[in-house]
Amino acid sequence: MKVLMFGWEFPPLSSGGLGTACYGLTKSLSKKGVEITFVLPSASDINDADFVKFRSANEIKNLKIRKIDSTIRPYMTSENYSGYMSQKSSRIAKIYGSTLFDEVYRYTLAAEKIAEEEDFDIIHCHDWMTFGAGISAKEKKNRPLVLHVHSTEHDRTGGHMVNQYVYDLERKGLHKADKIIAVSNFTKDKIMKHHGVPSEKIAVVHNAVDFPQNCCEEQMHLKGRDRIVLFLGRLTLQKGPDYFVYAAKKILEHEKNVKFIIAGTGDMEPFVIEKAAELGISGKIMFAGFLNPEEVEKAYRTADIYVMPSVSEPFGITALEAMKNKTAAIVSKQSGVSEVINHCLKVDFWDVDELSNQVISVLRYNPLQEALKENGYSESRKFSWDTPAQKCIDVYNQLINKG
Amino acid sequence: MVSVCFYFQVHQPIRLRKYSIFEIGKHANYFDDRKNEEIIKKIAGKCYLPANKIILDSINKNNGKFKVSYSMSGVVLEELERFAPEVIDSFKKLVDTGNVEILDETYHHTLSCLHSKDEFKEQIGLHNKKIRQLFNCRPKVFRNTELIYNNEIAKTAEEMGYKAVLAEGADHILQWRSPNFVYRPKGSGSIKLLLKNYRLSDDIAFRFSEKNWKEFPLTAPKFAGWVNKINGNGNVVNLFMDYETFGEHQWEDKGIFEFLKHLPHEILKHPDNDFVTPSEAVKKYKDVAELDYPHYVSWADVERDLSAWTGNHMQQEAMKEIYNLEPYVKLSKNPALLDQWRKLQTSDHFYYMCTKWFNDGDVHKYFNPYDSPYEAFITYMNILSDFRMKAGKLGEIES
């Protein structure tokens, strides 16, 4: 079986869960004999040589990566695209679209060409920026189209200031697709509610977590006698870093030897830093910035508790990654991952009191922390990418046989 | 001759209110009055009242030949008195027939037998007093929380004057023997042992509505047929189960009340069958052998051990902490404090912390107020921290 896959990030050039998910999924698909051509935007200011050296891509047989020269980056909004372009030389600016949406259009046209050249049985697209590409590929070659939804515009914006262009493109794609894969029931419900897609058109395929053989054992050198509570994610409305800071304030009123790490960058970073200062807890919060994969593992290992206070989290692979590193996890109930894990604590993202109650309880009651670490670790081991890969293959087969 | 001995367990814990870490030291109410009222009223309507009515009718219809026994925890009696007193009245009516025996247990439905013999005996004494007050009768047979039993429990029960004690007819103890006889506990004098026939009991309690069970649907004549087969190779069939089986665990629309209604008559159709209460059983039948229960056995789960309450470190820690407070609470001579301390010992609080089955997302037990065992532990420990401060004002407690 040959799959033409459109994505927008892939390790090591990735900054979020989408890249991790695409990597895990394609690796398991290829193991099961599926041949994949993965089409990826890549700006020409990224060295070609780096691109060919992609460790991850070379590890996977049956996988061919085709890049489209484009400035599209994952998690980009139209505002920060303009900012990004304004920093570029006028020569670069002439090559690429002046707005994010022009650029997505350019990507779509380029994808059409690739579709013409490639031979494939099925098209599989990851998230809205690739939906246009998927639709044109479907129209060119008349192959079934699968759209994999890792997040919707409603998740990314927390339901406020939904971008009409993105929403429309998302909606158009979802209605043209032959089948939709949602990463959770939480996301499936959103697609049904906000896009009016019927239930039977959507398959739910939960993400998984990779278990590399040589996880690093090392921790960060900052622990001292303090216990560590970790936030790790983009600093955007969707991820709820503000709730983390409010909870930190409350926790510090009751517990002394505890510090907080906020790892990640994003448009809310200034707000979060200022808020911490305003609350008088700057000395207890460390801003770690964007972490590379090794540093991420280290951060989990350093932390006693990982908190994912997302306002709207389609899945939330980081929770599984924390559990895999034997860190007690507290996750928002407004997340896909909370549907599939039991050995963690769950909280409504807005309930700062309850979140603080849970964090303090884990810090105070040792048997609780031990139970969450050990049972969480065992539970995370049950998530293998083979399961979601097989479910995707089942979806492919259904569509091919139907056609 | 084969006698059928029914014993129904009536118990509901006084559930805890979600108690936040920020309430420690505020000495707020530990118990969720609203939820407890809601649940007790629901069970009264769906189970206790309709089941009591059917049993009363059966006693009257069968010329006094139908008999049953109950064990009711002190805490459920308190809740019934408070929220559904009509249930107490209907139990009184049943006791008044003379065909219903009430058994003793620990008032607060606790695992005190594992921690403090003094406390264990006091709680049994409190229960005995409560039963005498409410029903004007003095229990002669003892059953421990969740049928937790070993040789020591029998000894203690005998010391306290009980004639018999109930236990699980666990395979690993019985081996080739049958649960359908009266036994005597190892190391005791004349006290007798009645063993639950778990196959027949569970056919009603667990499998009744199970569509995949090969005996589904279970009817009263079919069940009576199984009892009849014991004729000639057993004396007494002990059917022990939660009373909530009727109408709560097995729903009315699955026919459980019809089954209960017809069973007495079907069993009595065979001229050699009758019904007995536990006291009558040990009077009527001689014990056939001595049985050794060196380790604790309960009626819970396939393991039939204590792991549902003491299997993980959270449970062990919570239990250790509450029982560590015994000398301080007792020294205080403060009845309210003592009462709260005992209500915090109710076994269900620890049961909710069980992680054994949680892998499948199976929230343990009916009416579990928590989403996870971790939440149960947090609430319990927060309350315990508050309670310790309360008790600490009176005695000196090292943290």
Side-chain angles (χ1 to χ4, degrees):
Chain A
M1 178 161 354
K2 289 179 183 158
V3 179
L4 179 62
M5 204 175 265
F6 292 99
W8 27 295
E9 62 168 353
F10 205 83
L13 288 185
S14 68
S15 60
L18 180 63
T20 314
C22 285
Y23 174 69
L25 183 66
T26 48
K27 194 169 162 185
S28 282
L29 281 172
S30 91
K31 250 198 298 184
K32 290 173 181 287
V34 177
E35 288 175 51
I36 302 159
T37 302
F38 199 102
V39 185
L40 199 66
S42 153
S44 61
D45 54 352
I46 293 167
N47 196 330
D48 252 20
D50 286 347
F51 197 85
V52 227
K53 271 196 302 199
F54 273 9
R55 173 179 54 89
S56 44
N58 288 341
E59 265 173 19
I60 307 175
K61 58 174 192 317
N62 293 340
L63 174 69
K64 175 165 86 181
I65 290 199
R66 291 201 58 168
K67 63 166 197 157
I68 290 178
D69 185 15
S70 164
T71 50
I72 296 180
R73 296 286 176 80
Y75 312 111
M76 203 169 237
T77 64
S78 66
E79 289 75 34
N80 56 34
Y81 181 85
S82 321
Y84 173 78
M85 288 309 287
S86 65
Q87 292 161 10
K88 301 288 162 196
S89 67
S90 57
R91 186 187 62 83
I92 298 256
K94 262 182 228 151
I95 304 174
Y96 301 109
S98 57
T99 69
L100 176 64
F101 309 120
D102 291 344
E103 190 52 24
V104 168
Y105 181 64
R106 251 176 32 78
Y107 173 81
T108 306
L109 293 180
E112 215 169 292
K113 243 169 74 194
I114 289 182
E116 262 173 45
E117 294 159 18
E118 293 289 332
D119 178 29
F120 54 90
D121 307 302
I122 204 132
I123 312 154
H124 187 151
C125 293
H126 298 279
D127 273 6
W128 75 273
M129 286 190 195
T130 68
F131 286 4
I135 294 168
S136 26
K138 175 181 162 72
E139 282 165 357
K140 271 265 139 27
K141 286 280 182 77
N142 194 25
R143 293 284 186 273
L145 173 63
V146 177
L147 297 188
H148 202 135
V149 181
H150 300 262
S151 78
T152 68
E153 183 64 2
H154 278 85
D155 298 308
R156 289 182 296 264
T157 58
H160 309 290
M161 316 251 300
V162 167
N163 185 295
Q164 196 58 40
Y165 175 86
V166 176
Y167 173 81
D168 288 346
L169 184 57
E170 223 168 53
R171 187 183 175 89
K172 184 181 166 197
L174 293 170
H175 284 271
K176 292 234 167 178
D178 295 285
K179 191 85 185 182
I180 296 160
I181 293 174
V183 291
S184 59
N185 290 306
F186 178 78
T187 298
K188 177 175 174 173
D189 290 346
K190 289 225 150 143
I191 297 170
M192 288 164 62
K193 188 171 155 210
H194 297 300
H195 292 287
V197 176
S199 168
E200 57 278 9
K201 193 172 164 178
I202 310 169
V204 171
V205 177
H206 289 104
N207 287 334
V209 67
D210 247 349
F211 253 92
Q213 286 304 303
N214 47 349
C215 276
C216 76
E217 288 295 335
E218 214 180 322
Q219 299 195 344
M220 288 166 135
H221 297 290
L222 45 76
K223 231 179 142 165
R225 277 171 42 235
D226 285 336
R227 271 87 47 85
I228 303 286
V229 184
L230 172 71
F231 173 97
L232 196 148
R234 277 173 292 118
L235 302 186
T236 59
L237 186 78
Q238 183 192 354
K239 302 291 179 179
D242 38 343
Y243 297 100
F244 184 78
V245 173
Y246 294 131
K249 169 73 180 165
K250 186 125 200 174
I251 293 157
L252 285 165
E253 285 165 12
H254 294 84
E255 287 291 303
K256 275 188 199 118
N257 299 322
V258 53
K259 277 206 178 87
F260 299 82
I261 299 179
I262 294 183
T265 55
D267 56 18
M268 272 179 83
E269 193 169 348
F271 172 85
V272 171
I273 292 173
E274 276 165 36
K275 194 44 99 179
E278 184 192 320
L279 295 171
I281 55 171
S282 295
K284 290 287 191 177
I285 298 190
M286 287 165 286
F287 289 88
F290 184 82
L291 303 183
N292 68 35
E294 282 78 34
E295 291 167 333
V296 166
E297 295 264 315
K298 247 193 216 181
Y300 287 130
R301 279 166 192 273
T302 307
D304 296 279
I305 305 173
Y306 172 67
V307 176
M308 189 186 82
S310 299
V311 171
S312 183
E313 188 66 70
F315 190 77
I317 282 183
T318 54
L320 293 180
E321 288 174 343
M323 288 158 77
K324 174 186 97 172
N325 283 290
K326 292 201 177 179
T327 303
I330 302 179
V331 306
S332 137
K333 287 183 184 171
Q334 288 68 34
S335 72
V337 75
S338 70
E339 294 166 12
V340 285
I341 53 174
N342 295 310
H343 295 283
C344 66
L345 294 173
K346 300 174 189 179
V347 62
D348 288 307
F349 72 85
W350 42 262
D351 197 345
V352 171
D353 279 358
E354 177 58 9
L355 172 57
S356 312
N357 177 40
Q358 292 180 346
V359 170
I360 297 171
S361 297
V362 177
L363 293 175
R364 272 190 203 168
Y365 308 133
N366 263 333
L368 175 63
Q369 190 174 344
E370 288 308 311
L372 286 169
K373 282 180 174 178
E374 291 305 321
N375 298 337
Y377 174 74
S378 314
E379 188 169 32
S380 74
R381 300 222 59 151
K382 286 192 253 166
F383 289 85
S384 148
W385 276 106
D386 287 347
T387 315
Q390 189 52 51
K391 285 182 182 166
C392 286
I393 292 172
D394 294 345
V395 167
Y396 299 160
N397 283 330
Q398 276 169 19
L399 291 174
I400 292 168
N401 295 338
K402 208 165 70 180
Chain B
M1 192 83 200
V2 61
S3 300
V4 174
C5 178
F6 264 120
Y7 139 66
F8 303 121
Q9 178 62 36
V10 182
H11 168 67
Q12 287 298 318
I14 304 189
R15 288 169 191 77
L16 302 174
R17 195 171 62 80
K18 187 179 175 76
Y19 203 90
S20 140
I21 211 131
F22 308 114
E23 290 177 280
I24 296 174
K26 290 189 177 158
H27 305 332
N29 186 7
Y30 299 154
F31 304 101
D32 194 333
D33 295 339
R34 205 176 50 84
K35 188 177 277 161
N36 287 316
E37 175 172 2
E38 196 181 291
I39 291 176
I40 265 305
K41 283 188 163 157
K42 179 174 168 279
I43 303 175
K46 285 182 76 178
C47 164
Y48 301 154
L49 289 171
N52 282 6
K53 188 178 176 301
I54 288 170
I55 286 172
L56 185 65
D57 288 349
S58 281
I59 290 171
N60 292 334
K61 257 194 279 183
N62 291 291
N63 305 319
K65 284 186 184 149
F66 181 52
K67 292 168 185 173
V68 297
S69 67
Y70 293 95
S71 181
M72 298 180 254
S73 71
V75 286
V76 79
L77 289 171
E78 271 187 37
E79 288 187 288
L80 289 169
E81 284 178 291
R82 197 170 158 200
F83 301 125
E86 65 278 18
V87 177
I88 301 278
D89 294 337
S90 89
F91 274 120
K92 280 181 182 164
K93 268 189 212 149
L94 281 172
V95 174
D96 288 344
T97 63
N99 284 24
V100 172
E101 180 175 359
I102 306 285
L103 316 180
D104 257 341
E105 63 170 298
T106 57
Y107 186 102
H108 304 84
H109 201 86
T110 71
L111 303 171
S112 51
C113 65
L114 309 181
H115 299 275
S116 162
K117 192 169 168 183
D118 287 346
E119 176 61 16
F120 180 51
K121 287 166 89 170
E122 278 176 56
Q123 291 180 5
I124 299 168
L126 285 171
H127 187 264
N128 188 274
K129 196 171 146 200
K130 182 86 180 167
I131 298 299
R132 274 185 284 145
Q133 279 170 355
L134 274 180
F135 301 107
N136 197 26
C137 63
R138 188 184 287 270
K140 295 185 190 67
V141 172
F142 178 71
R143 61 75 64 185
N144 196 20
T145 308
E146 306 291 342
L147 239 51
I148 291 168
Y149 175 81
N150 69 1
N151 297 334
E152 270 309 300
I153 302 274
K155 254 192 246 173
T156 308
E158 181 158 43
E159 275 165 35
M160 296 183 73
Y162 293 101
K163 303 282 181 249
V165 59
L166 312 188
E168 172 71 28
D171 289 336
H172 67 280
I173 302 282
L174 280 170
Q175 296 171 1
W176 54 270
R177 302 177 194 91
S178 152
N180 306 325
F181 291 94
V182 175
Y183 289 89
R184 62 182 182 276
K186 182 172 180 161
S188 292
S190 61
I191 194 169
K192 300 294 190 296
L193 186 57
L194 287 173
L195 300 177
K196 175 182 158 190
N197 182 320
Y198 74 81
R199 285 190 185 85
L200 288 174
S201 300
D202 293 353
D203 284 341
I204 302 172
F206 299 133
R207 288 181 281 272
F208 184 81
S209 315
E210 182 57 55
K211 286 213 172 87
N212 296 325
W213 181 35
K214 67 179 189 331
E215 302 295 347
F216 181 87
L218 180 60
T219 59
K222 188 190 278 181
F223 192 86
W226 296 341
V227 169
N228 294 341
K229 274 194 211 149
I230 294 168
N231 243 307
N233 52 31
N235 292 331
V236 56
V237 180
N238 295 310
L239 301 175
F240 299 169
M241 63 198 71
D242 282 339
Y243 202 29
E244 289 84 0
T245 298
F246 303 97
E248 282 289 359
H249 303 329
Q250 310 295 340
W251 291 348
E252 182 177 8
D253 60 7
K254 297 283 191 296
I256 191 71
F257 285 127
E258 285 302 303
F259 177 82
L260 182 62
K261 202 182 282 176
H262 292 107
L263 190 62
H265 176 68
E266 289 298 330
I267 287 189
L268 292 170
K269 267 186 185 168
H270 194 296
D272 287 345
N273 294 349
D274 69 358
F275 287 94
V276 292
T277 68
S279 290
E280 291 173 346
V282 297
K283 246 186 244 160
K284 185 168 180 177
Y285 298 107
K286 208 182 142 8
D287 52 272
V288 295
E290 180 182 87
L291 269 189
D292 185 13
Y293 277 71
H295 307 296
Y296 285 111
V297 171
S298 79
W299 71 359
D301 315 316
V302 282
E303 293 93 341
R304 302 287 201 278
D305 61 10
L306 302 182
S307 58
W309 304 275
T310 63
N312 68 41
H313 288 119
M314 295 189 288
Q315 296 170 311
Q316 289 158 16
E317 174 90 354
M319 217 175 277
K320 193 183 90 198
E321 295 274 319
I322 188 81
Y323 283 102
N324 275 348
L325 294 174
E326 180 176 356
Y328 307 99
V329 175
K330 290 195 168 161
L331 221 68
S332 80
K333 306 223 183 299
N334 177 336
L337 203 67
L338 193 60
D339 182 56
Q340 283 184 350
W341 177 63
R342 286 176 169 152
K343 280 173 182 159
L344 291 174
Q345 293 174 34
T346 301
S347 65
D348 304 70
H349 303 318
F350 307 99
Y351 202 76
Y352 298 142
M353 297 175 200
C354 181
T355 46
K356 260 201 301 187
W357 302 268
F358 196 57
N359 283 327
D360 315 316
D362 173 23
V363 176
H364 207 178
K365 197 167 184 175
Y366 216 57
F367 298 130
N368 183 341
Y370 303 101
D371 290 334
S372 82
Y374 306 110
E375 274 182 35
F377 179 74
I378 291 174
T379 285
Y380 191 84
M381 292 306 279
N382 289 348
I383 287 176
L384 206 56
S385 300
D386 185 89
F387 182 80
R388 195 188 292 113
M389 290 167 82
K390 230 192 254 186
K393 281 192 191 131
L394 303 144
E396 285 303 305
I397 298 179
E398 295 151 37
S399 58

